[in-house]
Amino acid sequence: AARSRSPPRPAARSRRRPQGKVACGAGPGAMPGRGALCLGLLLPVLLGCGSAQPGGCPSLCECSEPAKTVKCVNRNLMAVPPDLPPYVRSLFITGNPLTDLPAGAFLAQRLPDLASLNLSGNHLQTVEAGSLALPALRQLDLSGNALVSFSPQAFGEGGSPLEELALRGALRDHGVLLSLAALLQSGALRNLSRLELADNGLLLLPAGMFTALPALRQLDLSNNSLVGLRNVSFQGLGQLQSLNLSDNSLGVLWNSTLAQFRSLPALRHIVLGHNTWVCDCAIEDLVAWLKESDQVEGKEALTCASPDKMLGKALLKINGSDLNCSVPTDLPSQLQTSYVFLGIVLALIGAIFLLVLYLNRKGIKKWMHNIRDACRDHMEGYHYRYEINADPRLTNLSSNSDV
């Protein structure tokens, strides 16, 4: 029986771990559940090693080198952190009391790969020249700021590779809108493919604002107060695919604007919902275009906002008999024509009057001489009476005329 016992296995005893150390894995000597425990202990170490960045991370930001991302969200930042890591490609600085972007706020030499910059929801008022001169910048979001000054040289002198620009709710100041128009017209953003100008309360757009954006594909002008597009030129936007004009105060689109829409080969998505369409004779061209065009999304839902008798009527169901076209629709041009006609009539009357005077010049001259002689005789009579009244001898003589 003693011989049948298994001999002791010193090798197993020799594989014991020293006290205080944990045997990881599932091999001999490993305790159940120790693999998960080891993983839990090592995970923070591994994450710490993975998130270590050359140059460090700003103390108020969260950095991830594998994702090439830095987030400085709601950190009460008053300025852009100067020690951003050079590997960053996506940078979020949002929800901070940041008011100014000075020149050199983002150093191009230190941030050569920064492609996406989100500065939305701050208190930005000033964007100075050279503050956004980044060689790899493709996306910029300035939405939700109260911009007061936006330098047309904000992206530097040589232009920018920027492709997407979001300015939702950031252009409440009219001066900033003019500065943005000057920036766009300068050709500095010729690579821009998406422009968002929604929620800015815009009434009118500067003339020729989009003429230097040949790569533009998406233009969002929704939720403003636009009353017309007559001074807006869409010529040259051969790549434009989407145009959002919803939630504005448009009453009509004139034939000149509709002709521009027809001339854009890539434009296939136009949104016109929630506008104040005025259904009188001026809307005939718009109705005809809607019936023949496939560019407008949801055109079946477009309805009249005025006059009262047309309220709620679908634009696609309007016929010529529904409109009262007895009153001229283009009153300014009608008035201008009337003024010109009145001027011509007055000039003709003046010419006839001068001609009559010329033909009767002798009779008029004789008449003028007769009037002159009559006036002279009348004045001599007054003069004679004055002399009699002025001489006392003649006065006494006239009073004693009985002598």
Side-chain angles (χ1 to χ4, degrees), residues 76-143:
N76 203 33
L77 294 175
M78 302 296 293
V80 176
D83 52 348
L84 293 169
Y87 63 75
V88 62
R89 291 182 181 175
S90 299
L91 175 59
F92 298 81
I93 303 179
T94 63
N96 294 286
L98 184 66
T99 60
D100 182 35
L101 278 185
F106 302 97
L107 295 178
Q109 297 83 359
R110 183 173 177 82
L111 304 172
D113 299 324
L114 182 57
S116 177
L117 177 59
N118 191 331
L119 296 173
S120 62
N122 293 299
H123 297 169
L124 276 177
Q125 296 182 358
T126 304
V127 179
E128 300 182 9
S131 58
L132 297 169
L134 293 164
L137 188 62
R138 297 292 189 275
Q139 299 173 337
L140 175 63
D141 192 346
L142 292 171
S143 302

Side-chain angles (χ1 to χ4, degrees), residues 137-208:
L137 188 62
R138 297 292 189 275
Q139 299 173 337
L140 175 63
D141 192 346
L142 292 171
S143 302
N145 288 285
L147 295 178
V148 176
S149 174
F150 195 111
S151 173
Q153 291 79 38
F155 295 91
E157 298 293 338
S160 170
L162 192 69
E163 297 177 357
E164 298 183 13
L165 176 59
L167 292 165
R168 179 180 290 269
L171 302 177
R172 297 287 177 173
D173 188 275
H174 185 66
V176 176
L177 176 62
L178 296 179
S179 298
L180 175 65
L183 169 64
L184 298 178
Q185 291 171 340
S186 69
L189 301 180
R190 296 186 63 83
N191 295 317
L192 199 65
S193 62
R194 180 176 178 271
L195 178 59
E196 184 177 353
L197 302 177
D199 300 333
N200 285 304
L202 304 177
L203 289 173
L204 293 171
L205 296 174

